[in-house]
Amino acid sequence: MTYDENGIFAKIIRKEIPAKIVYETENVLAFEDVNPKAPVHVLIVPKLRVMSVDDLADEHAQVMGELLLAARDIARELGVNEHGYRLVINTNANAGQEVFHLHVHLLAGRKMTWPPG
Ligand code: DGP
């Protein structure tokens, strides 16, 4: 599989289709999930053309660090950091990945169960 330049998140990053953007830096974009699974459900994506964690190269370490720090800042901005939140990165078929542009789900606003189904 190769990265799809016309994929949904590539279009959101290029602002070709709308999304409720909650955070943006040079390397990272975050927006509300269209089909939320919790009261707060934000998707945090690197602007890199990377399909999944399995597609990462060592040179992406800096941007992936920025992604995690973005999650920290977004959780604080949305006021969910103290009660808590879950970060999820689905990778390939068994994890249920549907969109092949690497993304972190930030889920919050309700009690979550463990382990995930
Ligand atoms: P995953 O299963 O990890 O690949 O999650 C993909 C998520 O992307 C899923 O929770 C729904 C969300 N999603 C799919 N299409 C769109 C879209 O067009 N806009 C937004 N905001 N989210 C989308």
Side-chain angles (χ1 to χ4, degrees), residues 1-8 10 49-52 55 92 97 99-102:
M1 198 198 297
T2 54
Y3 182 82
D4 181 5
E5 295 290 347
N6 292 313
I8 200 84
R49 288 157 174 72
V50 170
M51 294 182 288
S52 72
D55 192 33
N92 289 340
Q97 185 176 4
V99 176
F100 286 86
H101 180 114
L102 194 155

Side-chain angles (χ1 to χ4, degrees), residues 40-84:
V40 171
H41 189 169
V42 171
L43 301 172
I44 309 167
V45 310
K47 294 180 182 177
L48 289 170
R49 288 157 174 72
V50 170
M51 294 182 288
S52 72
V53 169
D54 190 50
D55 192 33
L56 282 170
D58 292 356
E59 70 198 42
H60 298 140
Q62 170 73 29
V63 174
M64 291 308 292
E66 290 177 32
L67 208 65
L68 209 53
L69 294 174
R72 175 201 64 187
D73 291 345
I74 293 163
R76 288 178 182 169
E77 282 169 17
L78 296 177
V80 299
N81 57 308
E82 286 190 13
H83 283 295

Side-chain angles (χ1 to χ4, degrees), residues 86-101:
R86 181 169 291 173
L87 302 178
V88 174
I89 308 178
N90 295 322
T91 304
N92 289 340
N94 270 4
Q97 185 176 4
E98 292 176 348
V99 176
F100 286 86
H101 180 114

